[in-house]
Amino acid sequence: MARESTKADRTSNDMLELGLTEAARAIAGGALSPLELTSAMLDRIEALQPRLGAFAHVMREEALERARILEAEAAKGKLRSPLHGATVAVKDLCDTAAIPTAVGMPMFRNRLPKGDATVVKRLYDAGAVIIGKTEMSEGALALHHPDVAAPVNPWRADLWTGSSSSGSGVAVAAGLCQAAIGTDTGGSIRFPSLNNAVVGIKPTWGRVSRHGIFPLSWTLDHVGPMARRVEDAATVLGVIAGRDPADATSLAAPVPDYAGDLDKSLKGLRLGFDERYATANVLAETQAVLSKAIDVLVARGVTLHAIDMPATQKAIEAWTPICLSEAVCVHKDLEGAQTDSYSESFRQFLDAGQGVTGEAYARANLERRKFAGNLNALFEQIDLMIVPVSGNAVPTVEEFAQICPDPDGLERLIYFTCIYDVSGHPTITLPAGLSSNGEPLGFQLVSAHLGEALLCRAGHAWQTDVCWDQRPPLG
């Protein structure tokens, strides 16, 4: 016979149901303490980590000590930001001083960075409790190292969790943190967001500093937040975005109040939709989601515009030589790296990168510039664009293992994602319920460079009006 739920149980469960923004408000109002929240979250991680494997490293002692400091500050009325006392996880390629940062590679399990990544430092400065390092695929590529247990999808254990930010997606969906940091080179914020039914923001390239982020491909890597709610992802983005002297490629443009502007009217915004591009060979249930999203946004005053998407094929093809050749440069003479410690698939990836010629890299970058220019021209006519994240249903783990080694299969998989890494345009991925087979559904909105505020406003409207807020069946 199951034991009756106690008042303490209910209180703990109530705490864990709070979003990041809600928790921070409760802390600010004195109804919740950072130590209570952190302790409850760590207990949940302890209970579910063996089942889900979301974390590469749980920072239990560090998190509790941090929570005590923030609790003392809150008691004195000192609140650092709207994140004060909330729990955040960071992908295990974000450097954390004196705390292992393994990048999904067993040979780096004892790698102890000397300093924090800028993203980590900004989260700390804002009063976040960093609760752990989330598990990831090997070197931020597609597959997990054979000696690393891949995170398990909390919705259905047989489903692929998404690419390299898999642990971040699982941790957020399972309520093991209130937000997480992911990175996206070809879709690694968007696939985990789609597959785990959470929100993910891939910002404009350079909007968030990459200092202290272990790279896969310098000019394709993007850093961004993942959360259950748009308001929470927007709040985190507002903290981590902005110019960083330690990253010369970071953008100096002022950082808007993403979370503060969420309730601004959408009236008059122009939503672009290329029906041929966005529905050809796309799952019928995803097409239905796109139609529903359009209806919701139009009801908010957005005007729908039929558009012609710029040709994408050469931009898709450009992604591979750029990623391959830059990854080779990253791993060439990498301190502590041992060739025989890479998996066979990662070695093959690097070997392929050795074969990319200077001419191929130059031509790929020319195609990148052309596509980005064409997309910029399109965004002179519209403010937002709606597209799928994937044309297919979420694959199973077994199906993904077959897709990944197949160049054509991989190209089809990243058809709707990699081009916005190539061009550097920002996107937001939004959950849209479950399919008839219990697979998460979703879509992405795309905007002009530095259009994250619009993406957050539109995404917030979608979540407010649709009100889908289910949790995985974890007991």
Side-chain angles (χ1 to χ4, degrees):
M1 181 176 179
R3 69 180 179 85
E4 185 177 341
S5 177
T6 66
K7 183 173 185 286
D9 290 332
R10 290 193 295 272
T11 302
S12 177
N13 289 337
D14 289 344
M15 276 193 286
L16 295 172
E17 285 296 308
L18 294 175
L20 178 145
T21 308
E22 294 171 322
R25 287 174 185 153
I27 289 168
L32 179 63
S33 84
L35 189 57
E36 287 175 330
L37 177 60
T38 299
S39 297
M41 196 67 74
L42 286 166
D43 288 346
R44 182 168 175 83
I45 292 171
E46 185 176 0
L48 292 177
Q49 171 67 7
R51 176 176 168 186
L52 299 177
F55 285 88
H57 183 79
V58 179
M59 295 165 55
R60 184 177 185 88
E61 296 307 318
E62 295 87 353
L64 288 171
E65 179 59 28
R66 180 77 175 164
R68 292 186 188 100
I69 293 170
L70 295 170
E71 185 159 321
E73 291 179 358
K76 296 176 182 177
K78 179 184 177 182
L79 299 172
R80 300 190 185 198
S81 84
L83 265 70
H84 191 99
T87 59
V88 180
V90 297
K91 185 174 177 177
D92 197 30
L93 50 53
C94 303
D95 279 353
T96 41
I99 294 170
T101 303
V103 201
M105 299 183 182
M107 63 181 164
F108 288 142
R109 278 180 178 149
N110 297 317
R111 177 177 174 266
L112 300 177
K114 295 179 181 178
D116 290 327
T118 296
V119 167
V120 171
K121 183 179 186 303
R122 288 180 176 175
L123 288 170
Y124 277 141
D125 289 347
V129 174
I130 297 181
I131 208 155
K133 311 291 293 293
T134 53
E135 193 57 88
M136 57 177 287
S137 61
E138 183 181 13
L141 200 58
L143 294 170
H144 293 81
H145 191 283
D147 295 336
V148 172
V152 176
N153 193 308
W155 291 98
R156 256 181 48 193
D158 64 320
L159 293 179
W160 179 46
T161 51
S163 285
S164 66
S165 305
S166 53
S168 292
V170 171
V172 169
L176 307 182
C177 58
Q178 291 160 317
I181 299 299
T183 63
D184 193 305
T185 305
S188 291
I189 287 174
R190 287 160 291 168
F191 286 123
S193 296
L194 170 68
N195 296 1
N196 294 284
V198 300
V199 175
I201 300 175
K202 182 197 79 68
T204 305
W205 189 80
R207 175 79 286 193
V208 177
S209 171
R210 292 176 296 107
H211 173 70
I213 304 294
F214 191 97
L216 173 59
S217 172
W218 298 299
T219 67
L220 295 172
D221 293 347
H222 298 63
V223 184
M226 302 164 70
R228 285 179 176 174
R229 305 291 301 174
V230 172
E231 65 176 342
D232 298 339
T235 299
V236 174
L237 181 61
V239 165
I240 63 175
R243 175 69 175 164
D244 175 19
D247 177 2
T249 66
S250 61
L251 301 178
V255 178
D257 184 0
Y258 299 117
D261 290 344
L262 291 178
D263 290 321
K264 282 188 176 181
S265 172
L266 302 181
K267 189 174 182 179
L269 290 180
R270 302 162 297 175
L271 177 66
F273 180 58
D274 183 334
E275 184 172 6
R276 177 199 56 79
Y277 167 72
T279 63
N281 301 314
V282 171
L283 185 72
E285 286 177 291
T286 299
Q287 293 185 41
V289 162
L290 296 176
S291 295
K292 182 177 181 179
I294 289 170
D295 289 343
V296 166
L297 295 176
V298 168
R300 285 289 193 119
V302 170
T303 59
L304 182 63
H305 295 256
I307 60 171
D308 292 321
M309 181 70 180
T312 61
Q313 187 57 39
K314 289 185 177 181
I316 294 170
E317 292 171 356
W319 183 89
T320 298
I322 293 172
C323 186
L324 284 171
S325 53
E326 293 184 4
V328 166
C329 293
V330 168
H331 287 267
K332 187 177 179 62
D333 300 324
L334 180 64
E335 183 179 353
Q338 301 167 355
T339 302
D340 59 358
S341 294
Y342 292 113
S343 70
E344 179 63 27
S345 62
F346 203 88
R347 283 198 299 271
Q348 290 175 356
F349 169 75
L350 294 177
D351 287 345
Q354 295 279 6
V356 178
T357 65
E359 178 184 354
Y361 184 75
R363 290 186 183 278
N365 274 291
L366 177 59
E367 293 302 333
R368 160 190 273 177
R369 297 297 184 193
K370 287 179 179 179
F371 177 71
N374 288 332
L375 209 51
N376 289 339
L378 179 62
F379 280 113
E380 293 176 3
Q381 306 167 35
I382 58 172
D383 301 296
L384 300 166
M385 179 169 61
I386 184 168
V387 296
V389 175
S390 172
N392 302 319
V394 176
T396 65
V397 174
E398 290 184 4
E399 288 169 343
F400 178 71
Q402 295 173 353
I403 290 169
C404 204
D406 174 16
D408 292 336
L410 186 59
E411 186 175 293
R412 288 193 298 272
L413 181 74
I414 62 177
Y415 180 82
F416 290 109
T417 57
C418 71
I419 52 175
Y420 306 113
D421 292 301
V422 169
S423 68
H425 286 79
T427 80
I428 187 169
T429 297
L430 298 163
L434 303 177
S435 74
S436 57
N437 293 323
E439 298 150 354
L441 295 167
F443 63 97
Q444 59 180 332
L445 297 172
V446 188
S447 74
H449 290 134
L450 297 175
E452 290 86 358
L454 288 183
L455 295 175
C456 291
R457 282 165 54 194
H460 180 64
W462 162 257
Q463 281 200 315
T464 300
D465 293 353
V466 173
C467 299
W468 185 82
D469 194 25
Q470 291 184 32
R471 298 290 187 265
L474 294 171

